[in-house]
Amino acid sequence: MTAAALAAQPRPLESIESVVIRFCGDSGDGMQLAGTQFTNVSAVFGNDVSTLPDFPAEIRAPAGSLAGVSGYQLCFSSHEIYTPGDEVDTLVAMNPAALKTNLGDLHSGGTLIVNEDAFDKSSLAKAQYSTNPLADSRITSNYRVHNVPMTRLTRDAVEGLGLSQREADRCKNFFALGLVYWLYDRDPEPTRHWIRDKFAKKPQFAEANLRALQAGINYGDSTEAFAVHYRVPPAKLAPGRYRKITGNEALALAMATAPRLTGKDVFYAGYPITPASDILHQLSELKNFGVKTFQAEDEIAAVTSAIGAAFGGAIAVTGSSGPGIALKGEGIGLAVMTELPLVIIDVQRGGPSTGLPTKTEQSDLLLASFGRNGDCPLPILAAQSPGDCFTMMLEALRIAVGFMTPVFLLTDGYIANGAEPWAIPKLADLHPIPVHHPAEPPTNGDPFQPYLRDEHLVRPWAIPGTAGLEHRIGGIEKADVTGNICYDAENHQHMTRIRAQKVANVAAAIPPQPVDGPASGDLLVVSWGGTFGAVRTATTAARRQGQSVAHAHLRYLNPFPANLGEVLRSYRRVLVPELNTGQLRMLLRATFLVDAIGFNKVQGKPFLVAELVSAIRDALEA
Amino acid sequence: MSLSVELPVLSPKDFASDQEIRWCPRCGDYSILAQVKKILPNLGVPREKLVFVSGIGCSSRFPYYLNTFGVHGIHGRAPAIATGLKLARPDLQVWVVTGDGDALSIGGNHILHAIRRNVNLKVLLFNNQIYGLTKGQYSPTSPLGQKTKSTPYGSVDQPLSPLAVAIGAGATFAARSVDIDIQHLTMVLERAAAHEGMAFVEIYQDCNVFNSGAFEFATDKNAKQDNCIYLEHGKPLIFGKERNKGVRLNGKGMPEIVTVNGIARDDLLFHDETADDPSQAFRLAQMRWPDSPEPLGVLRAVARPTFDGAVTSQIEQVQAKLGPGDVDALLDGGETWEVR
Ligand code: SF4
């Protein structure tokens, strides 16, 4: 039963295609939870959804301060969407600081719902407002403002449950959520279910949150403040079973699947770092899936313990973010030199140094490519969306064990924490990843040759415990075939070339570069990583306006797909939008001598579709 | 595990690799290599299940000279490499060969945590109190005042005691021996190999080129009995060529040297390597020549669950409780819905 059916005087229900909502408030206001719940009920209802959580770097920034504002934006739609939206339709602001930092993204005429109880003198001062913005005519005339006494109404709703005032106030996110549920005609049942589940051991908290949620729904329903409410019909996604997934979840699920695909245990080593820690958390729960996790003493120990595990025959993975990857550099070089399979996940964040720990950026491509001493090439892959993290994790493992090489998998804070609907695969439909360990020493009585290569230049993965295959490997240059230490000049040149050629050979084992749009024309937009959704939306929009624009999104960054050079030369111009100062562009120019132009943003935020559309226009006119 | 499997009888030469040994003539490493080769055939561990892991430094060439599995890693990281290997493959016996610079300077963090966790590794720290491979800089164990290439006016850098660090970090096995004291070193290596848990062994190793004679006090046939206390579990601390000197605790609980003849044997300090409280082992680790006679042998050997064992048994417990993971159910978890 929808809330509308209960209304004494039903308000008109308008159908709209898609809506962007942002919940924002203090870190302690439960905005991430409200956003996640809204996403879940929308996904279960059948909308396409895309989310953008945004939280402060400081866990305990002073309450009410501008630094402590936490937000969660989501777009839900009746058609396929790739981004959480440029501009916000409905902004829920729980305090003055949240209003101040977020109002700029609400479009003119948009709906603004504020907790007016939080606009007292001290909160206004903490947000550096000298006068109450709710009385400011620039705000009241520009937006549809709803001042709701959420704190008071929530306290009233939970009265009699014996909660302290502090505990009562913690329920107001559910009040806000209930109100927005009413506004967008959402079914609150999945959230009720979640609350009962979550607070099963604390029934008074369950009851309080349920009451707050209902109070919010009732507020929308019974006050005349909202003239209409809206409905966003389900999207027409391909039939099948779906779940909501974040990029970090998808990585963990892929690693828990890998033992079944490889027949080997997975060893994951990490050190706590934002925004990669969730991978370690989630995998640590999956001990019955053939996954061993190790929280190492530092980033260097994380990568080197993974190398030790790989030597022992495990499917080894280490994950981190920029600063941690920088520390792992020497270890990654050891994996290149010893030619052991290893996947290094880099959940990129704003840099350099500590940079913007909770904000997204894609500025580690050159670090992954070149951030080691010596000529030290390795394959590099990048996931394009939360769900794609699953696919690319398995792909990275396939290449690592297939070519006996460390492989970089780049994701970013945006797809790591952002969520999208994901068509759930079946284990039986996933490709096995063949792993071979030689079991017998050479029959002719010769000693085992650890660097004797096959036709792809791949050496055997012989593991301890196999009699007759005892051998030593290490970081010192070695003679090909025997693996014995060798400083010989010619040998070093030979080995350097062999290591590079082996990585280049991966190009034959990856798909050709697909292009969305015309096969030749005025402009090719080339992107990689988490910008996929925004770039795909912008290029599609440009084509709809009659422009000759195609989109090539790279998931394989080293080696590049074999046909990429040809693709680049099929267009008059090449535009490379990136959330960095031009790293892929540099690689494309260097590799293909193509005069690619850049569109670059480093603000810790994803691209807006609108800014890409105008960058495309500029590139076409230039 | 069945013990009835017949292991082929191997000899030390079965553990020699075909690689030419590149240490300087008369380097203490040769003797250590020989003693390790001597004990390996008697451990009851098949050769293919032995792995030697090292970092960087003269000592770290060690794995290349043994015909077992081996990893020559990067500077300081051998304990971390070995920890990952041991976690992935608890069935292997994993040895770490490291030096004073490798383990205590660049790799200090890893050795500390490998000891704290009680990873079931055998760590041999070749302490020569100098950086040999890089040609003679002072190390974290070089004594104050030592003149080296990087301390031409003498070192002003306070050295640390490897055993005090190990015991402070909670080592379940901590011992010290000397490269050319063949019998003693063999005994200590065998004890380390048999220990269930992290066995930390400091071996005084003569760097013949850059720090020759640093451990003469413990190798000189005429003086070593007077300079060193050879520890024996359950026995009083008696030393000296005439075995007439002993150690007892004074009124302040500090060790003092006494003449044995003068006092009752029971007043002497008795060595208890199995004591749960590490204070006495720590005190022994602080007794350093030339300020006092220096203890050699096993300072501490206590039983405690190993990290790799605990990781394995936790996984087994979770598996027993939850059953083997169902991948399809896992993928189909969380908030799901059907699109028709
Ligand atoms: S430099 Fe010293 S430690 Fe190194 S091999 Fe020569 S003698 Fe041995």
Side-chain angles (χ1 to χ4, degrees):
Chain A
M1 191 163 30
T2 65
L6 291 167
Q9 281 183 304
R11 244 65 50 74
L13 186 61
E14 276 180 24
S15 189
I16 45 177
E17 267 192 21
S18 61
V19 175
V20 177
I21 299 180
R22 187 185 296 168
F23 295 91
C24 55
D26 196 60
S27 309
D29 281 342
M31 293 296 95
Q32 301 299 322
L33 179 56
T36 320
Q37 284 299 315
F38 198 101
T39 307
N40 290 354
V41 303
S42 301
V44 171
F45 176 66
N47 294 127
D48 199 1
V49 293
S50 177
T51 73
L52 175 63
D54 179 28
F55 25 74
E58 292 82 13
I59 305 287
R60 299 261 181 270
S65 68
L66 295 168
V69 173
S70 166
Y72 192 105
Q73 178 172 326
L74 66 115
C75 177
F76 62 110
S77 172
S78 61
H79 56 80
E80 216 177 333
I81 47 164
Y82 298 109
T83 77
D86 285 7
E87 289 191 306
V88 176
D89 299 310
T90 291
L91 181 70
V92 178
M94 301 301 281
N95 69 7
L99 181 70
K100 185 158 210 178
T101 47
N102 286 276
L103 189 62
D105 296 331
L106 181 63
H107 67 70
S108 177
T111 300
L112 174 63
I113 300 173
V114 294
N115 175 16
E116 67 174 8
D117 293 337
F119 284 67
D120 56 28
K121 231 182 173 165
S122 91
S123 303
L124 289 168
K126 281 185 210 154
Q128 293 157 26
Y129 276 122
S130 50
T131 59
N132 191 339
L134 302 181
D136 185 336
S137 65
R138 276 168 304 181
I139 289 181
T140 52
S141 62
N142 207 12
Y143 308 103
R144 284 182 280 170
V145 184
H146 300 277
N147 298 324
V148 184
M150 293 192 204
T151 309
R152 182 168 59 78
L153 293 175
T154 304
R155 284 180 194 168
D156 289 351
V158 305
E159 205 182 282
L161 291 173
L163 266 56
S164 69
Q165 186 159 311
R166 203 184 140 86
E167 288 165 343
D169 287 353
R170 288 183 64 99
C171 300
K172 63 181 182 297
N173 57 338
F174 280 102
F175 181 96
L177 185 63
L179 177 54
V180 184
Y181 277 178
W182 178 84
L183 185 59
Y184 290 106
D185 194 42
R186 301 279 99 176
D187 176 7
E189 207 40 52
T191 296
R192 290 196 184 117
H193 187 82
W194 182 90
I195 292 172
R196 282 189 208 107
D197 226 49
K198 172 85 184 172
F199 298 104
K201 293 212 177 90
K202 292 181 180 151
Q204 77 276 27
F205 289 143
E207 181 59 23
N209 284 314
L210 288 169
R211 284 197 201 174
L213 181 73
Q214 193 59 44
I217 295 171
N218 293 350
Y219 182 86
D221 199 30
S222 53
T223 70
E224 306 264 299
F226 297 87
V228 281
H229 61 158
Y230 306 93
R231 136 164 277 200
V232 177
K236 287 182 195 61
L237 299 171
R241 278 186 73 72
Y242 285 80
R243 68 178 285 173
K244 193 193 69 164
I245 201 159
T246 68
N248 278 347
E249 275 168 1
L251 292 172
L253 292 183
M255 280 184 264
T257 305
R260 295 293 301 276
L261 300 176
T262 57
K264 307 282 305 179
D265 279 358
V266 164
F267 179 88
Y268 181 85
Y271 181 79
I273 186 167
T274 302
S277 301
D278 278 341
I279 306 168
L280 178 62
H281 305 163
Q282 297 187 10
L283 273 177
S284 307
E285 289 187 21
L286 304 176
K287 293 203 185 327
N288 54 334
F289 284 81
V291 177
K292 259 181 203 158
T293 55
F294 175 48
Q295 180 176 319
E297 59 270 23
D298 58 30
E299 296 282 0
I300 298 169
V303 65
T304 48
S305 63
I307 290 170
F311 182 70
I315 303 293
V317 184
T318 184
S320 189
S321 188
I325 300 295
L327 283 167
K328 290 182 200 288
E330 191 192 8
I332 298 169
L334 178 65
V336 168
M337 197 63 158
T338 51
E339 302 186 46
L340 283 169
L342 169 71
V343 173
I344 308 112
I345 299 168
D346 179 359
V347 185
Q348 298 166 96
R349 68 188 214 190
S353 187
T354 307
L356 307 172
T358 61
K359 309 290 181 205
T360 198
E361 205 165 277
Q362 43 182 187
S363 47
D364 292 350
L365 176 57
L366 296 182
L367 171 68
S369 302
F370 306 117
R372 294 166 294 284
N373 61 308
D375 281 307
C376 196
L378 45 65
I380 303 170
L381 314 184
Q384 67 181 27
S385 68
D388 193 45
C389 289
F390 182 88
T391 310
M392 294 314 276
M393 183 70 225
L394 294 181
E395 189 62 353
L397 289 175
R398 179 182 70 87
I399 293 171
V401 301
F403 286 84
M404 291 292 283
T405 177
V407 174
F408 251 108
L409 174 58
L410 302 177
T411 77
D412 60 53
Y414 172 59
I415 58 178
N417 293 315
E420 68 173 356
W422 182 55
I424 300 168
K426 283 253 172 277
L427 177 59
D429 297 335
L430 298 170
H431 293 296
I433 299 174
V435 172
H436 176 68
H437 300 304
E440 301 285 342
T443 44
N444 58 7
D446 284 353
F448 172 65
Q449 313 278 29
Y451 284 80
L452 185 65
R453 298 166 190 281
D454 69 8
E455 68 275 23
H456 308 293
L457 302 178
V458 179
R459 76 174 193 90
W461 191 7
I463 59 172
T466 332
L469 302 191
E470 291 87 350
H471 66 279
R472 277 67 53 198
I473 59 174
I476 297 192
E477 187 60 286
K478 53 197 47 67
D480 207 8
V481 183
T482 65
N484 291 331
I485 291 180
C486 179
Y487 296 133
D488 182 75
E490 292 298 321
N491 175 69
H492 180 53
Q493 177 127 12
H494 171 75
M495 290 299 276
T496 301
R497 192 186 62 75
I498 290 278
R499 283 188 287 268
Q501 186 57 50
K502 183 179 82 167
V503 172
N505 288 350
V506 172
I510 62 174
Q513 179 58 47
V515 173
D516 183 62
S520 63
D522 289 341
L523 182 69
L524 178 70
V525 183
V526 183
S527 58
W528 68 278
T531 59
F532 167 77
V535 178
R536 181 54 54 93
T537 309
T539 50
T540 309
R543 266 202 311 283
R544 245 189 255 128
Q545 291 164 12
Q547 291 164 339
S548 164
V549 174
H551 178 206
H553 188 82
L554 305 188
R555 294 153 91 212
Y556 299 87
L557 294 155
N558 191 44
F560 287 124
N563 64 333
L564 184 60
E566 199 185 311
V567 168
L568 294 169
R569 284 187 291 271
S570 303
Y571 301 84
R572 221 160 43 78
R573 283 176 197 283
V574 173
L575 172 68
V576 187
E578 292 178 87
L579 299 175
N580 60 45
T581 54
Q583 301 196 1
L584 175 64
R585 185 169 73 110
M586 179 192 283
L587 293 176
L588 292 177
R589 293 175 75 112
T591 312
F592 300 106
L593 293 177
V594 49
D595 189 12
I597 44 180
F599 178 66
N600 303 89
K601 170 170 164 178
V602 278
Q603 300 172 3
K605 292 185 200 163
F607 281 124
L608 299 178
V609 173
E611 62 199 11
L612 289 169
V613 166
S614 84
I616 290 171
R617 198 184 317 116
D618 291 349
L620 284 167
E621 283 166 7
Chain B
M1 199 175 81
S2 161
L3 292 174
S4 63
V5 185
E6 290 272 327
L7 291 174
V9 181
L10 298 180
S11 71
K13 70 176 183 342
D14 291 312
F15 286 89
S17 78
D18 57 359
Q19 295 300 293
E20 184 197 340
I21 301 181
R22 296 277 182 90
W23 288 314
C24 307
R26 303 191 50 205
C27 173
D29 292 355
Y30 285 97
S31 172
I32 304 174
L33 177 64
Q35 305 333 308
V36 169
K37 275 191 208 156
K38 196 166 78 187
I39 67 148
L40 290 182
N42 309 321
L43 299 181
V45 181
R47 191 175 60 188
E48 66 271 15
K49 292 227 167 180
L50 289 166
V51 186
F52 280 77
V53 181
S54 66
I56 295 292
C58 290
S59 60
S60 289
R61 291 299 182 90
F62 205 88
Y64 287 113
Y65 305 140
L66 286 172
N67 187 20
T68 65
F69 282 90
V71 181
H72 181 206
I74 45 179
H75 207 9
R77 319 303 170 200
I81 297 171
T83 297
L85 175 61
K86 185 69 184 166
L87 285 176
R89 293 289 304 278
D91 60 311
L92 304 174
Q93 186 176 88
V94 183
W95 293 69
V96 170
V97 180
T98 181
D100 39 317
D102 192 55
L104 298 168
S105 198
I106 195 166
N109 199 29
H110 308 301
I111 199 77
L112 180 71
H113 290 277
I115 295 169
R116 160 182 81 78
R117 293 186 177 112
N118 197 30
V119 188
N120 194 352
L121 305 172
K122 318 299 154 206
V123 177
L124 308 181
L125 189 155
F126 297 10
N127 183 4
N128 55 17
Q129 301 184 343
I130 197 83
Y131 282 86
L133 190 68
T134 49
K135 304 204 169 76
Q137 301 81 11
Y138 81 103
S139 90
T141 57
S142 300
L144 277 175
Q146 179 158 346
K147 287 194 171 144
T148 71
K149 283 212 182 117
S150 55
T151 52
Y153 301 110
S155 168
V156 293
D157 202 339
Q158 187 69 38
L160 51 69
S161 152
L163 287 176
V165 169
I167 292 164
T172 56
F173 183 98
R176 182 191 287 132
S177 191
V178 182
D179 52 6
I180 56 170
D181 195 340
I182 293 172
Q183 274 178 354
H184 190 264
L185 178 59
T186 306
M187 179 277 288
V188 167
L189 290 172
E190 281 171 346
R191 288 283 315 272
H195 178 70
E196 265 298 305
M198 151 70 68
F200 181 89
V201 182
E202 177 188 18
I203 304 171
Y204 283 149
Q205 175 248 322
D206 190 62
C207 173
N208 185 41
V209 175
F210 296 107
N211 200 15
S212 182
F215 306 106
E216 233 163 46
F217 77 94
T219 55
D220 184 302
K221 276 197 189 57
N222 294 318
K224 68 180 189 180
Q225 300 289 346
D226 286 323
N227 298 338
C228 303
I229 306 168
Y230 293 88
L231 297 171
E232 285 179 85
H233 177 60
K235 304 252 176 78
L237 267 60
I238 295 179
F239 67 103
K241 235 187 296 201
E242 317 291 333
R243 296 203 54 80
N244 61 347
K245 288 179 270 190
V247 180
R248 73 167 179 194
L249 296 184
N250 67 15
K252 289 181 183 148
M254 297 306 289
E256 63 179 4
I257 309 303
V258 292
T259 309
V260 173
N261 308 343
I263 64 160
R265 198 180 127 94
D266 284 358
D267 286 350
L268 292 175
L269 189 58
F270 276 65
H271 181 45
D272 179 5
E273 63 188 32
T274 63
D276 209 37
D277 176 358
S279 324
Q280 186 170 314
F282 189 74
R283 202 173 278 130
L284 292 177
Q286 302 286 29
M287 295 173 66
R288 303 296 298 273
W289 191 86
D291 300 330
S292 100
E294 192 163 311
L296 295 175
V298 179
L299 278 73
R300 182 168 163 80
V302 297
R304 216 180 73 202
T306 65
F307 179 60
D308 37 304
V311 166
T312 306
S313 66
Q314 188 177 56
I315 289 173
E316 284 165 0
Q317 278 164 25
V318 174
Q319 274 178 351
K321 199 169 140 211
L322 303 178
D326 177 344
V327 168
D328 278 318
L330 177 70
L331 298 179
D332 204 352
E335 302 277 343
T336 62
W337 65 96
E338 192 90 34
V339 173
R340 284 176 230 280

